[in-house]
Amino acid sequence: MAACMCLGAWPAAADPSTPRVDAERAEWDAQVERELAGVAADAVPLLREAQAAADAGAHAKALELYERVLERAPEFHHALRRSCAIRATLGDHAKALHLCREALALKASPENKMALAWALAEGGGPDDHAEARRLAREAVAAEPNSLYTQMQAAQLGLMLDDMPLFQPAAKRLRELAPDEMPTPLFSAIAAGLDGDLALAESEPERAHAA
């Protein structure tokens, strides 16, 4: 599969939630649990508890539980990425970057690349932003059919004022899930940038109706 900065097994900090994205996430989380069960089955309940704590905003508890997962499975990169996401949320960008880089070193997966991209974008300077753009493009190229990855790329493109990153992601979202938020909003912005005023004006109406 795909942020945040994660959010369960997801890669990036901005965590979109729509029916199809939620279904994609559920499938992804099940895959992550299967991976952990293969190396440390006794850590799976801890992983679930950690994710529930993270979803509830109990960041300190979630970090503690992810550390317990990592004690049982030191190279479980998903837990490192999730810890990265929480550290970034708490504003500890140095620690977040360290964790995300460690996860990426263990596995150069699209989700790890997108997670590091967000960490770099949120807490870095111009050189970090350049690396973030590169990583996001690599993640999107590897997962062109992932709604979550495309949403992450579109949001990151807007955050970094990188329209060559934003526009293809927005257009791909319109192909994959035209009626799911925030696709109509992204589509309207992309259409406006392309000079398609009719589409730019009609998309907000769809967004309101969605």
Side-chain angles (χ1 to χ4, degrees):
M1 157 43 277
C4 149
M5 239 169 156
C6 286
L7 353 143
W10 295 96
D15 188 17
S17 178
T18 73
R20 285 184 59 183
V21 168
D22 290 347
E24 188 176 314
R25 171 176 172 165
E27 180 180 349
W28 173 247
D29 284 349
Q31 176 185 326
V32 169
E33 288 188 7
R34 288 193 296 270
E35 289 182 28
L36 182 57
V39 294
D42 62 331
V44 173
L46 293 173
L47 184 73
R48 292 173 180 164
E49 190 178 352
Q51 181 53 38
D55 288 344
H59 302 307
K61 180 179 180 181
L63 283 172
E64 178 185 351
L65 288 162
Y66 284 135
E67 288 175 2
R68 291 173 63 186
V69 170
L70 289 165
E71 288 173 359
R72 291 162 173 77
E75 295 189 351
F76 189 60
H77 62 98
H78 298 295
L80 288 167
R81 185 181 63 252
R82 296 181 182 196
S83 297
C84 165
I86 295 173
R87 291 291 183 184
T89 298
L90 295 174
D92 188 355
H93 295 296
K95 184 64 174 177
L97 283 172
H98 174 79
L99 290 166
C100 269
R101 288 195 185 282
E102 192 174 351
L104 186 60
L106 287 168
K107 185 172 182 179
S109 62
E111 64 271 14
N112 287 346
K113 290 181 178 181
M114 189 64 82
L116 178 54
W118 271 94
L120 289 162
E122 292 187 321
D127 290 343
D128 295 317
H129 291 176
E131 185 181 1
R133 292 182 175 96
R134 175 182 62 79
L135 289 167
R137 285 180 169 82
E138 290 177 4
V140 168
E143 293 186 326
N145 296 321
S146 167
L147 296 183
Y148 191 89
T149 301
Q150 296 293 344
M151 286 183 180
Q152 290 281 303
Q155 292 178 60
L156 192 62
L158 288 177
M159 178 180 175
L160 295 176
D161 195 23
D162 185 339
M163 294 305 100
L165 174 61
F166 165 74
Q167 286 181 279
K171 292 174 182 178
R172 183 59 178 152
L173 283 170
R174 197 167 192 275
E175 296 170 353
L176 293 171
D179 297 323
E180 295 230 8
M181 288 295 290
T183 295
L185 298 179
F186 289 154
S187 182
I189 296 171
L193 292 169
D194 286 340
D196 187 342
L197 298 183
L199 182 59
E201 291 176 358
S202 65
E203 286 296 88
E205 296 178 3
R206 285 203 314 115
H208 184 71

